[in-house]
Amino acid sequence: MKWTQRLTSLTFLWCLFFNSGLLASTDSTPRVVFVNPGHADESFWQDVDDYAKAAAKALNIDLEIIHGERDTELMQQRLSERVANGKTPDYVILVNEAQTGRSLLQSLSQTSSHVVFTLNNLTPDELVEIQREPEWQQRLLPGVFPNNFRIGYLTAQALYRQGGQHAGEALLLSGDSNTPASIQRKAGALAFIEQVGGLDGVRHGYGEWQESSAYAETNRLLSLYPNIRYIWTANDHMAYGAQRALKKSDKVIGEEAFISTINTSTRVLNELEQGNITVLGGGHFTAVGLTLVKIHQHRTGKLWPQRTKFTLFHLIEPDTTLFHVLLDKQWNNIDFRAIDLSSNPIDPYLQRKEE
C-alpha cells in the first residue's frame, strides 16, 4: 500500500472516531502537559512556551510544561515521573525530537490521556503501526505540523538571491540526522540547490542545534573549502556559530558570505535588521499554542480538526508588520478564541479587537 493510501486510511479512522460524538467532557478545566524537549531559556523553545502559556491563559487551560533540556533520556525520565506521581492529564502534547516519540508514547500507554504530537510527527511507518492498536485509534489525535520542507526551500532560494546569484560553494548546516524537522528543512534546501544549479559545490555539516558545535563545524569546513559563499543553517544558534567562524576567516557577511537561518528570537531579529543575518524564516513556535486551540475547541463540543499541515513559516523582512509583532512578543494581546483553524494560511497573531 502506498504511503498516501495508508495516511488516508489513518485520517479516515480519526474522522470515524471523532465524528461519532465521543468528545471529551467539558465539566472541568482541561489539564494539559506539554513535554518540551528543549531548555526553558532556549530562544526557540522559550518562544514556544511563552506563546503556549498565553494561549492557555486565554482559553482557560491548565498547562504544565516539562523540559527535556535537550537530553532524550532525561525527557523520558521526567515524563515517566510525571505520569507516576501527578494527576492524570486530559491531554499530553509531545514532540518527536530525535525520533523519541514512540518511546514517549509508550510511557503514556497505561493512562487515559489523549496524546497529540506537534512540530515533529511520528514517521509514516510508526503511525501505521500505532493505529493498529485500538487504544491509540481513540487516544492519538491529529496534531499541528509546520511545513519544514517549504521553509528550507524558501530560505535557500532567498539566500542565493541575496548573494547576487553568484557562483560559489554552499554549506548546509543541519541540526541533526534524526529529527524530522531537521531532515525536512535540509531536503527543502537541497531541492532548491538541485533546481537552480550554478553552485561550485555543496558541503554538508551538523551543528546539533548549538552555537559551539556549529562554530567548530563551520570553522573546519571553511579551512577545507575557503570559497564557501552561502551558509544555510537550520536554526539561529547555529547561525551565530557560523558568524563567529566567518569572522575568524575574515569574511564579511553581506559581501563575501551570506547566512540564512530559521527562528524568531529577539537576538536573531536584531541580527537580521543589522545585516548580520542575510535571510530569516520563522513562525513555527506557534504550533503548540495552536494545538491548545484545537484542545479548547474539542472541549467545547466541536469536532477535533483533522487537518495537521499548517503554513506557519514565513520569510521575515525588517520593518514589516510581522517583524514588529515577532519582536514585541505581546502574545497576551492575541484573540486565541477567534483563531480560525480552517483558514489557510492560518493567522496565529490575530489581535483582540478594542472594545
Side-chain angles (χ1 to χ4, degrees), residues 87-104:
K87 292 183 178 180
T88 301
D90 298 296
Y91 303 84
V92 178
I93 301 174
L94 300 176
V95 180
N96 187 24
E97 189 83 357
Q99 298 290 1
T100 57
R102 193 66 178 92
S103 61
L104 292 173

Side-chain angles (χ1 to χ4, degrees), residues 45-283:
W45 291 111
Q46 183 176 7
D47 282 346
V48 170
D49 285 353
D50 290 346
Y51 184 89
K53 288 175 183 177
K57 181 180 179 181
L59 301 171
N60 192 32
I61 291 173
D62 180 3
L63 176 65
E64 176 185 350
I65 302 176
I66 298 171
H67 291 97
E69 314 293 349
R70 292 281 187 185
D71 183 329
T72 56
E73 291 184 4
L74 178 62
M75 180 167 59
Q76 181 76 59
Q77 176 187 334
R78 287 183 172 176
L79 176 59
S80 297
E81 289 174 351
R82 172 60 182 81
V83 170
N85 300 320
K87 292 183 178 180
T88 301
D90 298 296
Y91 303 84
V92 178
I93 301 174
L94 300 176
V95 180
N96 187 24
E97 189 83 357
Q99 298 290 1
T100 57
R102 193 66 178 92
S103 61
L104 292 173
L105 197 64
Q106 185 61 34
S107 299
L108 298 165
S109 61
Q110 300 304 311
T111 72
S112 58
S113 305
H114 288 99
V115 181
V116 192
F117 279 93
T118 188
L119 288 167
N120 291 295
N121 200 4
L122 296 170
T123 67
D125 280 339
E126 287 173 328
L127 286 170
V128 169
E129 178 185 350
I130 288 166
Q131 285 299 323
R132 293 194 182 108
E133 303 175 25
E135 66 165 321
W136 292 124
Q137 290 176 15
Q138 299 181 7
R139 292 173 49 206
L140 183 61
L141 312 181
V144 175
F145 306 104
N147 191 332
N148 284 285
F149 181 93
R150 180 175 182 270
I151 197 60
Y153 183 99
L154 290 177
T155 48
Q157 181 185 55
L159 181 65
Y160 187 57
R161 288 174 177 171
Q162 289 294 320
Q165 304 183 57
H166 295 158
E169 296 187 69
L171 166 59
L172 302 184
L173 203 56
S174 300
D176 61 61
S177 59
N178 294 316
T179 301
S182 180
I183 296 168
Q184 293 158 11
R185 288 177 198 177
K186 181 179 178 180
L190 280 172
F192 170 75
I193 289 171
E194 291 172 0
Q195 174 184 315
V196 73
L199 292 175
D200 296 333
V202 181
R203 312 303 169 188
H204 303 267
Y206 291 100
E208 302 301 330
W209 309 106
Q210 299 175 5
E211 180 175 344
S212 58
S213 299
Y215 167 73
E217 185 71 348
T218 306
N219 195 47
R220 181 184 71 84
L221 290 167
L222 282 172
S223 68
L224 295 173
Y225 309 102
N227 293 325
I228 288 176
R229 178 177 177 83
Y230 304 99
I231 301 182
W232 177 96
T233 69
N235 85 335
D236 51 344
H237 291 284
M238 292 190 293
Y240 306 147
Q243 286 176 334
R244 287 172 49 200
L246 287 172
K247 184 176 181 180
K248 182 179 179 182
S249 300
D250 294 322
K251 285 182 176 286
V252 179
I253 298 173
E255 296 180 15
E256 301 166 287
F258 303 83
I259 301 177
S260 73
T261 196
I262 297 166
N263 280 347
T264 53
S265 63
T266 299
R267 177 180 171 183
V268 81
L269 290 167
N270 289 329
E271 295 277 353
L272 176 69
E273 193 169 40
Q274 295 164 13
N276 298 321
I277 293 293
T278 312
V279 172
L280 181 64

Side-chain angles (χ1 to χ4, degrees), residues 23-51:
L23 302 175
S25 64
T26 60
D27 57 354
S28 63
T29 299
R31 185 180 296 112
V32 179
V33 170
F34 165 44
V35 183
N36 182 328
H39 299 278
D41 59 353
E42 188 176 354
S43 61
F44 170 71
W45 291 111
Q46 183 176 7
D47 282 346
V48 170
D49 285 353
D50 290 346
Y51 184 89

